[in-house]
Amino acid sequence: MNIVVMGAQWGDEGKGKIVDYLAQDAKYVVRYAGGANAGHTIVAGGKKIALHQVPSGILYPNKKVYLGSGMVIDPEALFKELKMLSDNGIEWEGRVFISDRAHIVLPSNRRMDVERDKARKRPIGTTGRGIGTTYSQKSERDGIRLADLLWEEKMSDLDDEDKEFITEYKDKLLDLSVNIAEKMWKHRKANTLFEGAQGAMLDLDSGTYPYVSSGASCSAGAAIGSGIGPRAIDKIYAVFKAYETRVGNGPMPSEFNDSTESKLCDYVRTTGNEFGVTTGRPRRCGYLDLVALRYACHVNSIDALVLTHLDIYDELEEIEACIAYDVDGKIVTEFPAGIPDLNAAKPILQKFKGWKKSLCSCRSYAELPKKAKAYIKFIESFVDTPVEIVSIGADREQTFFRRKPWKK
């Protein structure tokens, strides 16, 4: 069985924890998009592990993980990450593989990434890790794939800095290289988990373009970036938080107002630890945007949702969620494509009573307070998609299912 886990918002929804949890019943885990700009934090047994390129299933000793064709691999960052795993007692040798069709991030890509964003009239807010320029070169058919490291004529076109860089990592990368399409065909009868990066609203085609990532963070990206066909996907989970966050520039209609909602923003950011795993920069925070979530469900054929960070609202008397936008006096209930409309959009909010009770001890959906369940029920009704998994804390055990995931 093949299950996809993707983000339903602007990334940072808690995908790493959910992939880690679902991976206990999978044999293989494939990361299908993104690069070192992603950050997935997992807490197991009180120990925190931050991953950036290695799929989250690596923490289980009997799992094999694949970095897919849709990824852009930063060798320097990757081998630092693998060393970190070794330092933490996690043996990864013989369990980590890279698609020979994945593209390589070079020093020139990182340099161009920073320079291009500085030169833009409307900067995107890139992490400066060369992700966008590597994807750009891929589209222009000028990129370097892992398989190309053995193509001497192609490698001779690189400048001296990039050649020296590749020489340092060439053998180590080739040792991990596999034909992922053949591997996925061979493993087609096993439980395989496909892990996305970023989120639905950062997808290159369906996100808030041009303020998006350069990869396919949509559900279809799992097929594109993993060497399988779309009909091989059995179930698509999308992870979302009980509120909204975004990193970098771009529209965010439900963002907290700095002048009138700064206290609420500080509370959510601090309580939810909303600081980038990769960059450390504070995330923009706002009300749960149900208009955007419904759009994400529709455009990605989401089968079920995963709700995280619900416990952040434990102390609040009242909760609000965005159910429509006011765009220059016009009520809008569908997610707009135009940046001017999104920038002008003001959230129309619906209030919910808070539960004023810690959720941390809950170990099943039935144990949730009635008001928390009412909040979830409204979300399901609004987006017409069931919430099948709920997370109420950072640890693995603070997760429960309403339906078994690995069952067709």
Side-chain angles (χ1 to χ4, degrees):
M1 183 174 182
N2 293 329
I3 291 180
V4 174
V5 176
M6 62 171 289
Q9 297 166 315
W10 279 281
D12 308 309
E13 303 95 346
K15 295 183 294 298
K17 177 195 173 181
I18 301 306
V19 171
D20 171 71
Y21 198 89
L22 290 173
Q24 60 189 317
D25 294 316
K27 190 169 183 179
Y28 307 101
V29 182
V30 182
R31 168 84 176 274
Y32 64 81
N37 58 336
H40 294 168
T41 301
I42 300 158
V43 179
K47 192 173 187 178
K48 185 182 291 187
I49 300 287
L51 299 170
H52 300 278
Q53 295 182 89
V54 180
S56 302
I58 193 62
L59 300 189
Y60 292 97
N62 59 335
K63 313 296 179 184
K64 291 184 178 180
V65 303
Y66 295 86
L67 283 67
S69 306
M71 288 188 67
V72 288
I73 309 299
D74 182 330
E76 182 180 17
L78 174 62
F79 287 104
K80 284 182 179 177
E81 189 171 327
L82 293 174
K83 183 180 183 302
M84 177 274 294
L85 290 172
S86 295
D87 292 344
N88 280 277
I90 299 165
E91 297 181 4
W92 60 268
E93 291 88 349
R95 301 198 297 120
V96 175
F97 305 96
I98 308 173
S99 168
D100 54 9
R101 287 176 168 82
H103 280 246
I104 306 298
V105 179
L106 301 170
S108 58
N109 295 126
R110 292 198 290 260
R111 186 171 60 252
M112 283 189 292
D113 204 2
V114 174
E115 291 171 355
R116 285 186 182 182
D117 209 43
K118 284 183 179 178
R120 288 185 173 105
K121 291 182 179 180
R122 290 171 290 278
I124 293 170
T126 172
T127 59
R129 293 179 175 266
I131 307 300
T133 51
T134 305
Y135 275 120
S136 176
Q137 285 190 332
K138 174 182 177 178
S139 297
E140 293 169 354
R141 292 157 291 180
D142 292 322
I144 298 293
R145 303 174 306 160
L146 181 50
D148 298 333
L149 301 187
L150 295 172
W151 184 6
E152 292 184 9
E153 186 180 6
K154 176 78 170 179
M155 299 306 295
S156 67
D157 295 336
L158 299 177
D159 63 29
D160 290 342
E161 183 185 17
D162 287 345
K163 282 180 184 176
E164 184 178 346
F165 179 80
I166 283 297
T167 299
E168 180 180 354
Y169 295 103
K170 177 180 175 179
D171 291 341
K172 291 194 288 186
L173 287 168
L174 290 173
D175 284 345
L176 304 180
S177 176
V178 295
N179 183 327
I180 198 169
E182 291 302 315
K183 290 292 183 181
M184 291 300 101
W185 179 253
K186 182 180 178 181
H187 303 330
R188 65 190 182 279
K189 294 183 179 180
N191 283 352
T192 303
L193 194 58
F194 297 85
E195 174 183 7
Q198 285 82 46
M201 307 312 293
L202 291 175
D203 180 70
L204 184 61
D205 290 300
S206 54
T208 53
Y209 186 89
Y211 302 98
V212 292
S213 186
S214 299
S217 53
C218 58
S219 59
I224 295 169
S226 304
I228 62 171
R231 289 194 296 176
I233 297 172
D234 296 297
K235 194 167 189 177
I236 302 168
Y237 279 111
V239 186
F240 75 104
K241 284 188 282 206
Y243 50 91
E244 210 86 9
T245 63
R246 181 167 190 164
V247 172
N249 300 330
M252 183 180 170
S254 65
E255 186 170 11
F256 294 136
N257 187 297
D258 282 341
S259 58
T260 60
E261 296 161 331
S262 59
K263 288 185 178 180
L264 180 58
C265 182
D266 289 342
Y267 170 79
V268 170
R269 181 179 290 143
T270 302
T271 310
N273 191 29
E274 295 299 346
F275 299 90
V277 176
T278 302
T279 63
R281 59 183 171 181
R283 296 171 184 145
R284 297 159 61 189
C285 298
Y287 301 104
L288 174 61
D289 188 337
L290 292 174
V291 179
L293 182 61
R294 180 170 59 192
Y295 167 73
C297 288
H298 291 174
V299 79
N300 289 284
S301 298
I302 304 303
D303 293 300
L305 290 165
V306 181
L307 172 58
T308 66
H309 289 65
L310 184 62
D311 53 300
I312 303 306
Y313 282 155
D314 284 355
E315 298 180 12
L316 299 186
E317 294 280 355
E318 189 175 74
I319 298 165
E320 293 180 282
C322 172
I323 58 169
Y325 307 138
D326 181 334
V327 181
D328 298 325
K330 181 182 177 181
I331 304 302
V332 174
T333 57
E334 296 179 357
F335 193 79
I339 297 300
D341 283 346
L342 287 168
N343 284 337
K346 297 178 181 178
I348 295 174
L349 303 172
Q350 177 148 332
K351 299 180 187 295
F352 302 86
K353 291 182 178 179
W355 40 90
K356 295 290 290 179
K357 178 182 177 182
S358 174
L359 303 182
C360 291
S361 61
C362 296
R363 288 297 179 269
S364 70
Y365 183 81
E367 292 180 23
L368 290 176
K370 288 183 179 179
K371 291 174 183 176
K373 286 190 278 192
Y375 182 55
I376 295 171
K377 187 176 181 180
F378 182 87
I379 293 169
E380 291 179 313
S381 175
F382 192 96
V383 303
D384 195 27
T385 306
V387 174
E388 289 190 0
I389 304 175
V390 179
S391 168
I392 42 86
D395 202 88
R396 276 178 182 166
E397 303 309 313
Q398 293 176 300
T399 311
F400 44 84
F401 298 88
R402 299 173 70 186
R403 181 183 175 191
K404 291 182 178 179
W406 293 102
K407 189 175 182 181
K408 292 185 182 182

